[in-house]
Amino acid sequence: MVSRPAMNFNPLAPEFQANPYPVYDMLRSTMPIFHWQDWGMWFLTRYEDCAAILRDPRFGHEILNFMTRDELGWGDPVASQQPLNAVMAGWMLMRDPPTHTRLRGLVHKAFTPRVIERLRDRIQAITDELIDGALAKGGMDVIADFAFPLPITVIAELLGVPTSDMDDIRRWSRALAFTLELTTDPSVYDEGSVNAAEFAGYLRDMANQRRRAPQDDLLSGLLAAEAEGDKLTEDELIATCVLLLLAGHETTVNLIGNGLYALLTHPDQWALLKANPTLTRSAVEECLRFDSPVQMTSRTVLHDVEFNGVTFQRGQQVATMFGAANHDPEKFANPSTFDITRDPNPHMAFGNGIHFCLGAPLARLEGQIAFETLARRLPDLKLAGDPERRSTYILRGFSALRVMV
């Protein structure tokens, strides 16, 4: 294994963000585990390696349980970023057992598959309404007019957030999403912290209203959720709602945008879906694999680990590259081929291990309804000009994707 790729690996480069898959193929075949000195991080590109790391409890998030900030070379926390740190500290996404186990168990009690399935008719109604708008105009920007309003309306209604506040939710969520990217710009975290404080304050006011007058929504359910006499603390409740609103739409926007682009640029597959609506489930899974909405996640080494000839030292960051893993020829036959009939399709778009995406059933349902309805109601859908890609890597998607109906 090498300490740095022979090529100029740079996940911040526009050309890499436009199409990282050829780079993944090169890395996987020549240096599947490598250390990028510029960031002091390890990167893994093979499916089995990524899955193993995500299931291994020696890799986690709460490194401060094992090392001090001085030992890690972190210095003192930045005061201006305290609101952001406080919100993220309450995310189950950033916690290890036993806290992760407790938080996930409590949230799951108010976020069950039965609740998700009850949303089917509402998701269909929103989808049809958005498509009505596209038909009336003769086209749409898939991102602004369809992929964004569908999931954010669903998760907001599920939690009990008024639709009139959607613009604020989107602004706050987008600022927080940028803090999850690989970036050298400290202003991203300062801006994220300002938005985290506003987001938390808004949800705290809502929670107080629900305590006085509970409603039939997820926020009221979370307030009532109990497990063995335990409840979410106030800070955990607010952080969890922020996470659900952020993750509940951000990645689904990319699933719909990336997936529809893949379908329209592979006309044989688009025709196949239109002719065979029963392929919708497998089509969604292939969209998730082929151009994954989340390209990477990371873990911190909690204990020194020998892994496939590499020594990971305590405190180091290890990135598992979902986009590369989902194109691993050792796991997927002809991985560069977009095939909506692919079966089995054990992609890693929702992660692996104990942090597997809690919202996966909702994202899948939204994707299935979206693609089936688009194929049925807009069979002549065509791209209108070149799409515009977001300047992000980890959350991969488009900022604009215009189509004619």
Side-chain angles (χ1 to χ4, degrees), residues 312-333:
F312 295 134
Q313 297 177 345
R314 189 176 66 165
Q316 290 184 323
Q317 292 287 308
V318 179
T320 55
M321 304 175 85
F322 295 150
N326 287 336
H327 281 245
D328 188 343
E330 293 296 318
K331 193 68 176 181
F332 303 95

Side-chain angles (χ1 to χ4, degrees), residues 2 32 37 95 110 113 145 150 176 183 220 232 234 250 252 270 302-303 320 337 348 359 399 404:
V2 296
Q37 292 176 343
R95 304 304 297 267
D145 301 329
L150 172 57
L176 289 177
T183 179
S220 298
L232 291 165
E234 173 82 2
E250 189 73 32
T252 307
W270 179 235
L302 304 180
H303 307 280
T320 55
T337 299
M348 212 178 294
S399 58
M404 298 180 295

Side-chain angles (χ1 to χ4, degrees), residues 333-399:
N334 303 313
S336 61
T337 299
F338 181 63
D339 177 11
I340 66 170
T341 68
R342 187 181 295 274
D343 184 35
N345 193 347
H347 63 77
M348 212 178 294
F350 292 119
N352 205 306
I354 63 171
H355 288 89
F356 184 86
C357 178
L358 182 69
L362 177 57
R364 283 182 159 122
L365 181 60
E366 290 170 335
Q368 290 162 12
I369 291 174
F371 291 135
E372 187 278 329
T373 310
L374 287 167
R376 172 168 47 83
R377 295 195 58 194
L378 303 177
D380 299 323
L381 199 62
K382 292 181 177 62
L383 293 173
D386 294 330
E388 298 172 18
R389 186 166 292 285
R390 293 174 60 179
S391 58
T392 54
Y393 164 57
I394 292 177
L395 297 176
R396 176 172 171 79
F398 295 102
S399 58

